[in-house]
Amino acid sequence: MKNRFLHLIVAKPWLVLLVGILAVVALSYGGKNLYFRGDYKIFFGDDNPQLQAFESMQKTFSKNDNVSIVVEPKSGSVFNKETLELIAKITEDAWQTPFSLRVDSLTNYQHTEAEEDDLIVDYLVSEFSDVEITDEMIEKTKRVSLAEPLLVNRTISPSGHVSMVNITVQLPDKLDQTQDVVEIAAFVREIVSKYQAEYPEVNFYLTGVIMMNNSFVEESQGDMASLIPAMFLAVLIMLSILLRSVLATVATLIIIVTSISATMGFSGWLGMYLSTATISVPTIVMTLAVADCVHIISSYYYNLRQGMSNDQAIEQALEINFSPVLITSATTAIGFLTFNFSDVPPLRDLGNLVAFGVMLAFVLAITILPAFLKLLPIKVKKRDDSNFGKMEQFAEWLIKNRKLVLPASTLVIICVAALVPLNKVNDVPTEYFAEDIQFRYDSDFMDEHLLGVTMIDFALDTQEASGINNPEFLAVVSEFTDWLRAKDEVDHVISLSDTFKRLNKNMNGDDPEEYKLPEQQDLAAQFLLMYEMSLPYGLDLNNQINLDKSSLRITVTLDNIGSGEIVAMERDVQNWFADRSPNTKVTAASPSLMFAHIGERNMQSMLTGSSLAIVLISGLLIFALRSLKLGIISLLPNLAPAAMGFGLWALYSGSINLGLSIVTSMCLGIVVDDTVHFLSKYKRARVLGKNAEDAVRYAFASVGKALWITTLVLFTGFMVLAQSSFSLNGDMGLLTATIILLALAVDFLFLPAFLLLVDKKVYKIDGESEYVEANQASTVA
Amino acid sequence: MLKQIKPLQWLNLGLLCTSLAISSIAIAQTPEEKGLAIAKERKLRDKGWGDTESATKMVLRNAEGEESIRKMRLKALEVQGDGDKGLTIFDEPRDVKGTAFLNFSHIHEADDQWLYLPALKRVKRISSRNKSGPFMGSEFSYEDLASFEVEKYTYKLLREEVVHGENSWVIETIPTDKFSGYSKQIIWIDQSEYRVQKIDFYDRKKSLMKTLSFLNYRQYLNKYWRANTMSMVNHQTNKSTDLITESVEFRVGLSDNDFNKNSLKRLR
């Protein structure tokens, strides 16, 4: 069956080509449906509890997707005519931002004060920028803002050297908000560039959720524009070195291009969207497809050099590569398919697409590729390959020094793997971006000079209409606010208890002694009503109070702490309320919290996924090698590289983000290829009656070079990915490249030394020389 | 205050006035002149209603579909040559019961506003330039509820179309006050009775923000039309508010004495 199929390819290349190209075109046509989603919400499934809590809170109160403009006058103070004028101008322009709901700044802050028996609620500086700012206004702004808990450490730094204008936007409820995000970001950048020219003495910084989403879009596009061409270039260089033939390189490139376009088109047919994660699909598929092609073309060349006819060389190359390439493609696909355990939809998409792409590349490599090889006038000079000598020398060296190599390599593996627990799960969305990206730079600046970008909203629900006016509840809120502010990591708290205290003071003739909570519920309710009736458009309290005033929202801004600390903070808050006010229902929600939880949960589920990958892949190996013993031995070289990789990662970075959670599964599927090749050759020699030493020699001689080549290809591919400006993709690429390199070292050093130690028994001699591979083919094909 | 009644009232001044008005609209040439003429007629037809007392329920809904209800009583007094006077007494929620809001609407300057806080037993004047803010956390702002005065806007007739089954003029109005929360409003005024059927509000960045529909019009004293339900939908936040008039009485004998700071304290 297999042979008849392989013969057909050589016999009717045009037919194969036609059918193949038609299928590829049909799949690729689905690419028309593809679109890019840049918002962070793609990382969360619809049933994600933190996403649901967040959505619900946004509907109950108001949205808080935002853009922050931070201004830093080089003079070191914002309290001067020029800077306040600038802030007023930015504020006025900011209202024109598409989808904006509210703008909060130093100049439009609604300051309250008593004037005789009246309550004056007015703009701290001015609603419009066309007023003359007097020294008196400057002085008042400084005095009021630096003493106002709502402003200090948020709108204004305690030293007055930076100030923030915060624009809250409400994106329309639809799936793909990318265009809106890009539009908002472009608008705000336009404002900034306008004033940059006008105020060269002021530095501007742009951050916030919208800018983050926009950076996801921009950097993904940047990645697509730079990584994919870089990958093509790397592939071209590698192929021209390895194949030394323009036509063979062209044939391989065609396989790569068709694999990628059919895979992406397929995702389009399935209605998937492109995301920051799935933009890595082309690079990864390309890497894995190259490996397939190189195996087949190398054999083809080898055959030609041995003097075979073109047809014979092709058929023979397919024959001997079919099974190994199928097995290695299948194990790689299994590794990627276990991404389905992930809680992060784009990672699931990534896994499924690469798995599809890998299997497709396999199919194309055994159909279209040989058809091209048949049709293209490829010529190869007859010559002997001399590299085999080096591999044999290495094998000799290893066999001689095995008593040293085994303990040394074991020690290194154990020591490096022992570092793994030093890693911590940590998902900080801003840190997904490299430090040289403007968004990251601006966010870091804001974190250092004003407040962090990590935020948690707490809805405190009294479960009773008008409950927030209850003095007992307000006392709890005030205590809670103080408790939060006492924490080191807390930068700022927006709490209605501050507003109540201020109103109480205002209503008592601005007596500082009266800066305390109203003592009766009706008093509190009426103060609040009066205050609400005095606030202008866009500056109301709907972002802090729900409709029936049963629930209020406390917004806490934190330093850029890790996900573990965020989750711990949420738990501490729940405990605080359980202890102090058990009747208050507390809900926490925010993008930061969503990322914190998804990191932890995803790690748990990917551990399950990786475990399953180990079981499935080992099972496949035992089956393919027809040896339980070798299958179990293979576990060591399959798992050790990942363990070592994460051990080294602990030294390099130590924080594990979403992108890294999939590395174990992915690497397992890829590095197992080395083991499959090595062990299958080893076993083949053993069943032919050779002892372990000779079997190791044989394995090195026959697949040593091929392993070098595929490792080089894979390492290069993932190192290209490592150049991504997203740490999500970049870290994943870097760690995977490292693990692939380690896997080769383990397979070349530890595995043979270990086999020489434990595999001393004599194998039952099997006459069938093609036993292993033939068996693989018939069982899996 | 709360001439929330006001925008509802376009009256019919009888055959004479009507024919005069229609002829003046016919004379008007440019879309601006036509728009202004319709606005003047709208105001004219509601002239003479005197004073009213009504009970109103406000139903607030958020994007989650949760509801909250506010109840209040309204007293209104027509003032010739300036904006009207209004008095709103809150009944629900309970903790603001008895709170009363007095508003003197003005055409050319900021309104005068006072609030009586029963818990404090004091009347406080409040700064009223911020008329663009939400009223009681609802989707209505003061300016949506304030009395309609021709001078507050400039007008332009855009087209005619049928809305709520009525042939209507569609007029673009632009507020003359820069403290308004809107860049413009598009108003549908029916041609049969000069009643406002619908208003689209555009925010300061010129995006459609809210739509107010006037439903269940009833005629009082054979002349003055009042919509029983005013339904405001915010397209940006998906929140909405219905303002439902539960009862309304005309000419109950209110006078200036019922609309001053001292009268606030006497209320219950």
Side-chain angles (χ1 to χ4, degrees):
Chain A
M1 167 79 199
K2 182 179 96 181
N3 289 339
R4 228 185 311 153
F5 171 68
L6 296 180
H7 184 71
L8 175 81
I9 293 166
V10 183
K12 299 193 169 160
W14 285 110
L15 178 72
V16 170
L17 216 52
L18 186 70
V19 172
I21 297 290
L22 278 179
V24 166
V25 168
L27 280 171
S28 305
Y29 188 62
K32 70 180 167 47
N33 300 331
L34 283 177
Y35 62 100
F36 186 84
R37 270 188 73 185
D39 57 300
Y40 65 83
K41 281 185 194 153
I42 57 165
F43 291 105
F44 308 93
D46 289 338
D47 53 354
N48 180 293
Q50 280 74 34
L51 177 66
Q52 286 178 341
F54 178 67
E55 301 268 323
S56 163
M57 197 183 286
Q58 296 227 326
K59 282 179 184 163
T60 304
F61 298 94
S62 61
K63 294 248 178 175
N64 48 16
D65 287 342
N66 70 317
V67 184
S68 304
I69 306 174
V70 177
V71 294
E72 180 202 26
K74 289 172 187 161
S75 68
S77 172
V78 300
F79 297 114
N80 52 64
K81 186 168 182 285
E82 201 187 32
T83 312
L84 290 183
E85 244 168 34
L86 168 66
I87 294 173
K89 283 183 194 169
I90 293 175
T91 307
E92 203 174 330
D93 287 355
W95 279 111
Q96 298 297 319
T97 308
F99 311 107
S100 61
L101 274 189
R102 87 183 266 152
V103 178
D104 291 284
S105 76
L106 192 59
T107 57
N108 81 354
Y109 167 69
Q110 295 295 302
H111 175 55
T112 56
E113 60 192 329
E115 198 170 276
E116 292 170 17
D117 213 18
D118 300 332
L119 175 70
I120 305 297
V121 181
D122 205 356
Y123 292 81
L124 183 54
V125 177
S126 168
E127 178 171 14
F128 300 105
S129 58
D130 56 1
V131 291
E132 178 70 19
I133 292 171
T134 62
D135 287 348
E136 198 189 336
M137 285 159 84
I138 296 169
E139 200 282 319
K140 182 181 174 185
T141 305
K142 184 172 181 176
R143 177 171 46 80
V144 169
S145 65
L146 293 181
E148 173 54 52
L150 208 57
L151 297 180
V152 79
N153 279 322
R154 179 181 182 84
T155 305
I156 183 84
S157 66
S159 67
H161 77 303
V162 292
S163 180
M164 176 177 86
V165 177
N166 192 55
I167 308 166
T168 308
V169 298
Q170 166 115 23
L171 294 174
D173 279 325
K174 57 182 180 185
L175 196 61
D176 183 21
Q177 303 172 327
T178 307
Q179 278 317 307
D180 301 334
V181 165
V182 170
E183 189 186 341
I184 294 168
F187 187 90
V188 177
R189 279 183 179 158
E190 187 61 34
I191 295 178
V192 167
S193 68
K194 182 170 92 183
Y195 291 117
Q196 243 160 1
E198 205 177 316
Y199 293 84
E201 291 305 302
V202 177
N203 293 325
F204 295 82
Y205 305 87
L206 276 175
T207 175
V209 170
I210 295 294
M211 295 313 289
M212 181 174 83
N213 283 352
N214 184 63
S215 296
F216 273 127
V217 179
E218 284 180 355
E219 299 309 325
S220 301
Q221 286 165 350
D223 261 14
M224 279 195 272
S226 62
L227 293 190
I228 295 175
M231 188 62 203
F232 265 102
L233 191 68
V235 163
L236 264 178
I237 293 170
M238 280 189 293
L239 291 178
S240 48
I241 291 171
L242 297 173
L243 304 178
R244 295 203 187 98
S245 155
V246 175
L247 291 174
T249 303
V250 168
T252 308
L253 280 180
I254 289 170
I255 300 303
I256 293 168
V257 170
T258 48
S259 299
I260 293 172
S261 80
T263 303
M264 301 318 284
F266 177 68
S267 74
W269 283 126
L270 292 185
M272 288 179 175
Y273 53 84
L274 287 172
S275 66
T276 47
T278 51
I279 53 158
S280 313
V281 171
T283 314
I284 298 176
V285 168
M286 204 185 309
T287 307
L288 299 168
V290 167
D292 289 351
C293 295
V294 165
H295 275 293
I296 292 170
I297 295 180
S298 298
S299 302
Y300 166 67
Y301 276 13
Y302 179 78
N303 294 343
L304 285 181
R305 284 190 206 108
Q306 302 298 308
M308 285 189 196
S309 73
N310 200 36
D311 283 11
Q312 217 183 346
I314 294 170
E315 224 169 308
Q316 166 74 13
L318 287 182
E319 175 98 40
I320 63 164
N321 281 296
F322 185 90
S323 304
V325 173
L326 175 63
I327 294 277
T328 54
S329 297
T331 53
T332 304
I334 289 172
F336 277 94
L337 284 173
T338 58
F339 288 15
N340 282 303
F341 279 87
S342 171
D343 292 291
V344 182
L347 293 183
R348 296 199 289 265
D349 292 350
L350 171 69
N352 291 332
L353 285 182
V354 173
F356 178 83
V358 165
M359 293 318 290
L360 186 78
F362 163 74
V363 171
L364 295 177
I366 58 148
T367 52
I368 295 187
L369 179 66
F372 269 115
L373 293 179
K374 161 98 191 193
L375 294 170
L376 294 172
I378 294 175
K379 295 247 161 21
V380 171
K381 273 185 250 150
K382 279 191 190 176
R383 66 176 170 87
D384 282 329
D385 248 312
S386 57
N387 283 359
F388 280 77
K390 284 178 192 159
M391 279 299 147
E392 276 152 357
Q393 279 166 25
F394 180 77
E396 291 308 326
W397 173 85
L398 184 88
I399 290 165
K400 209 168 88 189
N401 293 299
R402 65 193 188 202
K403 293 229 165 77
L404 185 69
V405 169
L406 185 62
S409 59
T410 309
L411 191 69
V412 170
I413 291 173
I414 290 173
C415 287
V416 176
L419 299 170
V420 170
L422 295 180
N423 286 302
K424 267 167 69 181
V425 175
N426 194 11
D427 275 282
V428 179
T430 48
E431 289 177 7
Y432 288 173
F433 300 94
E435 281 173 12
D436 56 355
I437 290 175
Q438 191 69 40
F439 166 73
R440 172 76 186 273
Y441 179 78
D442 288 5
S443 297
D444 286 352
F445 176 87
M446 190 168 89
D447 185 32
E448 195 180 325
H449 293 269
L450 196 58
L451 79 172
V453 290
T454 305
M455 201 200 69
I456 310 180
D457 280 333
F458 293 100
L460 311 182
D461 186 359
T462 62
Q463 312 191 60
E464 187 186 2
S466 302
I468 62 156
N469 297 322
N470 183 325
E472 281 167 34
F473 173 71
L474 284 176
V476 171
V477 175
S478 172
E479 248 180 76
F480 175 56
T481 307
D482 293 343
W483 178 78
L484 285 171
R485 285 187 178 139
K487 288 178 173 288
D488 274 347
E489 66 270 28
V490 171
D491 286 337
H492 189 260
V493 182
I494 299 178
S495 172
L496 201 67
S497 62
D498 294 333
T499 308
F500 272 112
K501 289 178 187 172
R502 177 159 44 85
L503 290 173
N504 196 65
K505 184 183 85 167
N506 299 145
M507 300 302 255
N508 286 286
D510 275 350
D511 179 0
E513 291 287 302
E514 293 292 328
Y515 187 78
K516 57 187 187 190
L517 294 169
E519 281 161 7
Q520 303 142 247
Q521 168 148 1
D522 55 355
L523 206 57
Q526 290 164 29
F527 285 176
L528 194 63
L529 175 77
M530 177 156 186
Y531 180 54
E532 279 193 277
M533 294 187 92
S534 307
L535 294 172
Y537 163 71
L539 296 172
D540 53 61
L541 293 177
N542 288 342
N543 58 342
Q544 294 184 57
I545 308 175
N546 74 342
L547 275 187
D548 63 357
K549 296 190 167 58
S550 60
S551 182
L552 64 80
R553 176 159 77 174
I554 305 270
T555 299
V556 185
T557 311
L558 305 152
D559 287 327
N560 293 347
I561 55 175
S563 47
E565 291 154 277
I566 295 176
V567 173
M569 168 123 190
E570 182 194 15
R571 197 180 49 234
D572 289 352
V573 168
Q574 292 288 0
N575 289 341
W576 191 91
F577 274 93
D579 188 42
R580 178 65 181 79
S581 178
N583 291 334
T584 307
K585 193 178 142 214
V586 182
T587 322
S590 76
S592 306
L593 197 65
M594 285 152 64
F595 276 104
H597 277 276
I598 195 88
E600 308 252 322
R601 190 141 25 98
N602 187 61
M603 189 51 71
Q604 287 302 315
S605 44
M606 279 316 293
L607 280 178
T608 314
S610 304
S611 309
L612 184 73
I614 292 168
V615 172
L616 287 177
I617 291 172
S618 301
L620 193 64
L621 277 191
I622 291 167
F623 198 61
L625 295 169
R626 280 261 170 132
S627 163
L628 181 65
K629 186 177 173 185
L630 287 183
I632 290 170
I633 289 175
S634 77
L635 277 174
L636 289 170
N638 289 344
L639 297 179
M644 289 169 77
F646 276 96
L648 291 177
W649 190 259
L651 296 178
Y652 174 74
S653 150
S655 71
I656 305 286
N657 62 26
L658 287 181
L660 294 186
S661 69
I662 56 175
V663 166
T664 307
S665 285
M666 178 165 75
C667 284
L668 204 60
I670 296 174
V671 304
V672 80
D673 299 359
D674 293 353
T675 324
V676 168
H677 285 295
F678 194 91
L679 285 178
S680 64
K681 296 295 184 286
Y682 173 83
K683 173 152 190 217
R684 186 159 152 182
R686 290 286 272 154
V687 297
L688 286 172
K690 293 186 176 170
N691 63 15
E693 279 86 351
D694 281 346
V696 165
R697 284 190 189 98
Y698 176 75
F700 270 110
S702 56
V703 292
K705 192 193 171 197
L707 293 188
W708 264 117
I709 292 175
T710 48
T711 300
L712 177 70
V713 170
L714 292 167
F715 177 77
T716 309
F718 283 97
M719 278 312 283
V720 169
L721 198 60
Q723 307 313 308
S724 167
S725 37
F726 284 117
S727 66
L728 221 53
N729 298 340
D731 288 357
M732 185 248 279
L734 183 61
L735 184 53
T736 305
T738 309
I739 290 174
I740 287 170
L741 213 53
L742 289 169
L744 187 73
V746 170
D747 282 324
F748 271 21
L749 296 169
F750 173 80
L751 178 62
F754 188 71
L755 286 171
L756 291 173
L757 178 73
V758 300
D759 196 31
K760 285 187 173 137
K761 81 165 174 87
V762 179
Y763 277 57
K764 201 178 110 195
I765 299 197
D766 196 311
E768 201 183 329
S769 65
E770 288 292 318
Y771 182 81
V772 175
E773 288 172 6
N775 185 51
Q776 287 166 5
S778 60
T779 50
V780 190
Chain B
M1 111 95 252
L2 258 209
K3 320 285 189 75
Q4 66 99 1
I5 307 247
K6 278 306 290 209
L8 327 178
Q9 13 180 278
W10 331 117
L11 24 126
N12 114 33
L13 260 194
L15 280 174
L16 182 68
C17 284
T18 311
S19 56
L20 273 175
I22 286 178
S23 61
S24 76
I25 291 164
I27 294 163
Q29 288 303 310
T30 66
E32 287 78 8
E33 287 168 354
K34 284 178 182 160
L36 178 64
I38 294 164
K40 282 182 174 167
E41 175 63 14
R42 165 190 169 186
K43 180 72 185 169
L44 191 62
R45 288 196 176 207
D46 200 42
K47 203 173 170 181
W49 53 271
D51 60 87
T52 59
E53 222 177 297
S54 56
T56 297
K57 182 168 84 172
M58 209 155 68
V59 183
L60 284 65
R61 279 180 212 93
N62 66 13
E64 283 273 71
E66 292 163 349
E67 279 189 6
S68 177
I69 290 177
R70 317 265 193 272
K71 285 186 174 172
M72 62 203 95
R73 283 166 288 147
L74 310 168
K75 295 179 181 191
L77 182 68
E78 189 177 25
V79 176
Q80 302 296 346
D82 198 358
D84 301 332
K85 293 181 180 180
L87 180 61
T88 309
I89 305 134
F90 300 109
D91 289 332
E92 275 178 36
R94 223 179 35 207
D95 53 12
V96 296
K97 187 175 165 62
T99 307
F101 177 65
L102 177 64
N103 183 73
F104 292 179
S105 181
H106 299 299
I107 296 174
H108 297 292
E109 61 209 84
D111 292 2
D112 291 308
Q113 299 181 333
W114 297 267
L115 196 66
Y116 172 67
L117 305 182
L120 209 59
K121 297 190 175 59
R122 280 220 295 260
V123 176
K124 296 265 180 186
R125 187 186 175 90
I126 54 183
S127 44
S128 59
R129 217 179 58 187
N130 293 336
K131 62 182 182 179
S132 57
F135 179 73
M136 300 274 294
S138 75
E139 294 311 311
F140 287 90
S141 69
Y142 296 123
E143 69 177 309
D144 303 340
L145 299 168
S147 72
F148 170 72
E149 307 297 340
V150 175
E151 296 86 345
K152 286 182 175 177
Y153 307 93
T154 62
Y155 304 85
K156 183 180 173 186
L157 178 64
L158 298 178
R159 58 184 185 272
E160 297 179 21
E161 66 185 36
V162 176
V163 69
H164 298 163
E166 296 270 351
N167 286 327
S168 301
W169 288 291
V170 185
I171 300 169
E172 178 186 88
T173 67
I174 295 175
T176 50
D177 181 358
K178 73 169 182 171
F179 296 108
S180 169
Y182 307 118
S183 56
K184 68 170 182 185
Q185 301 173 8
I186 304 292
I187 304 187
W188 283 256
I189 295 176
D190 70 52
Q191 297 176 354
S192 59
E193 301 288 352
Y194 286 80
R195 296 167 301 195
V196 175
Q197 294 291 341
K198 192 170 104 169
I199 306 178
D200 278 347
F201 296 91
Y202 289 78
D203 63 18
R204 286 182 178 175
K205 60 180 184 294
K206 301 179 180 67
S207 304
L208 176 62
M209 182 189 180
K210 305 187 289 191
T211 297
L212 175 58
S213 300
F214 296 80
L215 306 167
N216 306 328
Y217 265 109
R218 273 183 64 191
Q219 196 178 29
Y220 298 86
L221 307 181
N222 271 327
K223 196 169 178 186
Y224 306 107
W225 289 94
R226 296 290 181 271
N228 174 266
T229 302
M230 293 164 72
S231 179
M232 183 75 95
V233 177
N234 188 319
H235 304 291
Q236 295 174 359
T237 62
N238 291 322
K239 293 182 181 180
S240 67
T241 302
D242 286 347
L243 194 58
I244 300 159
T245 304
E246 293 183 319
S247 65
V248 55
E249 275 184 84
F250 278 74
R251 297 187 185 155
V252 289
L254 299 174
S255 70
D256 276 340
N257 288 336
D258 297 296
F259 295 89
N260 61 40
K261 275 173 76 173
N262 292 328
S263 67
L264 281 175
K265 296 180 190 172
R266 295 197 303 267
L267 292 165
R268 257 175 298 114

